[in-house]
Amino acid sequence: MIRPVVSIIITCYNYGHFLAEAIESALQQTYQYKEVVLVDDGSTDNTREVALRYPGVKYIYQHNQGLSAARNTGIRSSKGQYLVFLDADDWLLPNALSIGVPYLRHHPQAAFVAGSHKRVYTDGQKEEDKPLSYAPNPYYRLLSLGNYIGMISAVMFTRWALSAFHFDTSLRNCEDYDLYLNLTRRYPIVQHQHSIAAYRIHRASMSADIDKMLIGVQKVLDRQRTNLRSPLEIEGYSRGMHCWITYYEGRSDYKLEAGPLPDYQQTIQFFERFAPQAVQAYAVRHEHTKVERNSYTLTKGSSRLVQPAVPLAAQIRRAMAIAINYLLPFESRFGYDLRWPVERGYIEQFRQQIVEDLNGVVLDLQDSTYKDLPEKSTLTDALELTGATNNAQVYYKRNLLTLKELPGNTFDCIVFTHSLHTAYNFKTVMHHCRRVLKPGGTLFLTVPGKGEWNNPWYWSFTADEIRRLLVKIFSEGSVQLESLGNADVAVAYLYGLELTSVDQNKLSYHDPEYQVMHTIRVTT
């Protein structure tokens, strides 16, 4: 018997009248290598009778212990490498497994893959598509703006992730939100917008009990307090509590307007007394003009702050004034958790500039976390390079660790942006780049100047250092180097401000004394 790749775990407690639809949606999946496990959590209706109509379903009965315990029983009783959880009153769309499995196979480091779902209302309302809103920092998004992932059946988990974290049996609701927070705090995830499940909204639904849900979600969020590691996360936790209370007090499952944010000065005084590490982050984000300071709107699943742009100099002055006392950056990962770090503007600009110069066989090198795919693609299929693509004919995207396996004199161009510093043996990597380039080929390279100082960054380079290295490995006179950055940009980068906070006019001014990064062209 072939071992199943995916286990679909259906949990049921007195939902026998919905159960057949859920089971059939699992059995009729287009993906073959699956098993269906049904955990009956002590039902007293016709659940057992319905389940036994389907010989392909593994039926397990237990005395009523709650949803978390039922799901944990399903995990222990299943064999699949990947797991999908389905409530008895919901159902999967036919291609749910076929969509999810390739994502996890191509990203084995991911704890789970999440997609979109649709809502089906039993009161006659029109069906509603709920596309997943992509979050560059899933943990912060879950902390600050609620459970944006939503329906658990739109998620496919890896078994190894659920070995590290299971469903907490002390929770009577919001156990999926608790699991999402725990997993995204530790591991990367994959997100897509394919609709893969249907969520039935009816009066008997657990999520319809507003008072119990508010108590549950506050309990789950409050458990994250001991895990908060940065001002950004502290602020996210505070904002999350505010959003959930306003959401459930709105008595609406659709849209609402949150109340005004608390008075700025009162909030600062509160933080200084009870959470001094969060003061700097709050000050940088929220000290705007009095007219616009409290402009805040919220829509479930798509939340945003409406805030005016604040000049970089003003942000830095406020941040530095507070940092004198607390010595903390605004965001400890140099802006990556906010979406676009300052240096990213220079990288994207460089990649767009070189498109016209790409030709022949192009190799795009990624850092050591990238998972290589076996197929090749044309440059027009590449997501990272935009613009004219007429000159490039064949495009490869590879992990830098695979360089040693590639044949020599193969590539006309190598694009290697901001990954060299993650290789401990960076000189060896450069020698391999020289080896695989054809005579007359070109290496397009970016490296950090004043870079990060934590894992996985091993190196930062001055202009003289990287030039001397490349001249030694490649022929002299073939290296064209430009250093980018200035004092304002360097300070913004070190404080972890994001790209949109920087005055765009200042990005084009470059001071050789403040080298944020270097862009390089090397011709063999």
Side-chain angles (χ1 to χ4, degrees):
M1 181 177 179
I2 299 177
R3 186 183 182 91
V5 175
V6 183
S7 297
I8 303 174
I9 299 171
I10 303 174
T11 53
C12 185
Y13 177 65
N14 289 337
Y15 270 0
H17 54 296
F18 291 127
L19 183 58
E21 191 171 8
I23 292 176
E24 289 174 9
S25 76
L27 293 174
Q28 293 170 8
Q29 287 295 299
T30 57
Y31 187 81
Q32 283 186 301
Y33 306 108
K34 62 183 180 295
E35 66 172 351
V36 180
V37 177
L38 172 61
V39 181
D40 181 349
D41 190 35
S43 299
T44 57
D45 63 355
N46 65 335
T47 293
R48 177 182 177 85
E49 177 186 341
V50 174
L52 295 181
R53 296 179 198 161
Y54 301 92
V57 174
K58 182 178 182 180
Y59 175 76
I60 300 169
Y61 178 87
Q62 66 178 26
H63 294 293
N64 181 246
Q65 301 174 44
L67 182 57
S68 291
R71 287 174 176 168
N72 289 336
T73 296
I75 295 171
R76 292 191 297 270
S77 304
S78 61
K79 299 178 181 179
Q81 179 183 357
Y82 309 129
L83 300 103
V84 173
F85 297 94
L86 180 62
D87 292 343
D89 53 340
D90 300 327
W91 66 92
L92 297 174
L93 302 185
N95 293 325
L97 306 189
S98 298
I99 291 171
V101 169
Y103 280 110
L104 290 180
R105 281 183 169 167
H106 291 158
H107 301 277
Q109 75 278 21
F112 62 81
V113 55
S116 303
H117 67 278
K118 66 178 181 178
R119 289 184 170 184
V120 180
Y121 299 91
T122 58
D123 62 0
Q125 293 185 59
K126 185 179 179 181
E127 290 186 3
E128 183 182 10
D129 290 325
K130 301 295 290 185
L132 182 71
S133 178
Y134 172 76
N137 182 344
Y139 181 63
Y140 174 74
R141 177 70 179 271
L142 287 163
L143 272 179
S144 62
L145 296 175
N147 186 0
Y148 80 98
I149 295 172
M151 185 186 186
I152 196 167
S153 299
V155 177
M156 180 179 289
F157 295 90
T158 56
R159 183 171 290 277
W160 63 261
L162 296 182
S163 297
F165 293 96
H166 57 271
F167 291 99
D168 191 331
T169 55
S170 70
L171 297 173
R172 305 307 295 178
N173 54 32
C174 301
E175 62 291 316
D176 50 352
Y177 183 37
D178 179 68
L179 185 64
Y180 298 153
L181 284 164
N182 288 330
L183 290 177
T184 56
R185 179 171 56 86
R186 293 281 300 274
Y187 309 113
I189 67 169
V190 180
Q191 302 164 87
H192 65 78
Q193 290 196 315
H194 300 289
S195 188
I196 57 179
Y199 180 39
R200 193 193 309 265
I201 307 293
H202 56 90
R203 286 292 181 185
S205 173
M206 182 183 296
S207 59
D209 192 332
I210 291 175
D211 292 332
K212 289 182 179 179
M213 291 298 292
L214 178 56
I215 293 172
V217 77
Q218 286 180 306
K219 180 179 179 180
V220 166
L221 196 56
D222 202 48
R223 287 155 60 134
Q224 292 298 315
R225 291 177 63 180
T226 59
N227 299 323
L228 305 179
R229 295 292 182 267
S230 71
L232 182 70
E233 292 180 358
I234 294 171
E235 185 213 25
Y237 165 82
S238 302
R239 183 180 301 283
M241 279 294 189
H242 174 73
C243 286
W244 276 118
I245 292 171
T246 310
Y247 175 76
Y248 280 114
E249 287 183 349
R251 294 297 191 271
S252 169
D253 197 33
Y254 317 115
K255 297 180 181 179
L256 61 94
E257 286 191 2
L261 290 175
D263 178 78
Y264 176 79
Q265 291 299 335
Q266 291 179 1
T267 305
I268 287 293
Q269 291 170 8
F270 175 85
F271 278 154
E272 286 180 338
R273 181 178 178 185
F274 297 107
Q277 290 184 331
V279 174
Q280 179 184 341
Y282 191 87
V284 171
R285 282 199 162 192
H286 298 299
E287 192 187 10
H288 303 312
T289 63
K290 292 184 178 179
V291 175
E292 297 177 302
R293 183 181 299 155
N294 290 334
S295 178
Y296 182 78
T297 61
L298 173 67
T299 299
K300 188 179 182 184
S302 178
S303 308
R304 65 189 182 93
L305 280 172
V306 182
Q307 296 178 341
V310 181
L312 174 65
Q315 291 198 38
I316 292 175
R317 280 196 299 271
R318 289 196 291 270
M320 291 183 67
I322 297 169
I324 291 174
N325 293 322
Y326 300 112
L327 302 177
L328 289 170
F330 174 54
E331 198 282 295
S332 60
R333 294 189 65 245
F334 296 82
Y336 277 89
D337 279 346
L338 295 175
R339 186 173 187 180
W340 285 102
V342 170
E343 65 179 10
R344 198 71 209 176
Y346 291 139
I347 298 171
E348 294 306 309
Q349 184 181 52
F350 178 70
R351 291 183 71 99
Q352 291 177 18
Q353 290 172 350
I354 67 174
V355 169
E356 292 286 357
D357 299 322
L358 298 177
N359 62 87
V361 184
V362 179
L363 173 65
D364 190 0
L365 284 175
Q366 307 293 302
D367 65 30
S368 58
T369 64
Y370 177 76
K371 301 299 178 181
D372 285 336
L373 302 180
E375 65 271 18
K376 63 185 180 181
S377 64
T378 63
L379 184 59
T380 53
D381 293 330
L383 298 177
E384 308 300 331
L385 295 170
T386 59
T389 59
N390 295 333
N391 296 331
Q393 299 173 1
V394 183
Y395 177 84
Y396 291 84
K397 197 172 186 178
R398 291 291 183 267
N399 186 313
L400 64 86
L401 298 180
T402 65
L403 259 176
K404 60 185 178 181
E405 303 168 4
L406 299 177
N409 298 330
T410 301
F411 299 98
D412 296 284
C413 299
I414 298 178
V415 180
F416 196 3
T417 51
H418 252 57
S419 296
L420 180 64
H421 56 283
T422 66
Y424 182 76
N425 55 339
F426 67 93
K427 293 182 181 179
T428 301
V429 172
M430 281 292 92
H431 279 289
H432 280 300
C433 285
R434 175 67 182 87
R435 180 182 61 82
V436 302
L437 269 177
K438 293 179 181 178
T442 304
L443 167 68
F444 300 95
L445 176 70
T446 70
V447 295
K450 300 181 183 302
E452 300 178 23
W453 298 282
N454 58 4
N455 184 50
W457 290 53
Y458 287 113
W459 313 103
S460 296
F461 304 90
T462 66
D464 288 341
E465 286 173 337
I466 191 65
R467 187 193 301 275
R468 291 179 65 178
L469 169 69
L470 295 173
V471 166
K472 185 175 181 180
I473 295 176
F474 296 82
S475 59
E476 189 170 358
S478 65
V479 179
Q480 301 176 33
L481 183 148
E482 182 181 11
S483 297
L484 309 179
N486 55 63
D488 271 350
V489 173
V491 171
Y493 176 61
L494 294 177
Y495 269 95
L497 301 180
E498 62 180 331
L499 179 62
T500 55
S501 302
V502 180
D503 184 338
Q504 298 301 302
N505 293 325
K506 292 184 178 180
L507 281 173
S508 59
Y509 172 72
H510 306 305
D511 184 341
E513 297 298 319
Y514 295 93
Q515 303 170 2
V516 173
M517 64 170 289
H518 312 289
T519 62
I520 307 159
R521 298 176 184 233
V522 184
T523 304
T524 58

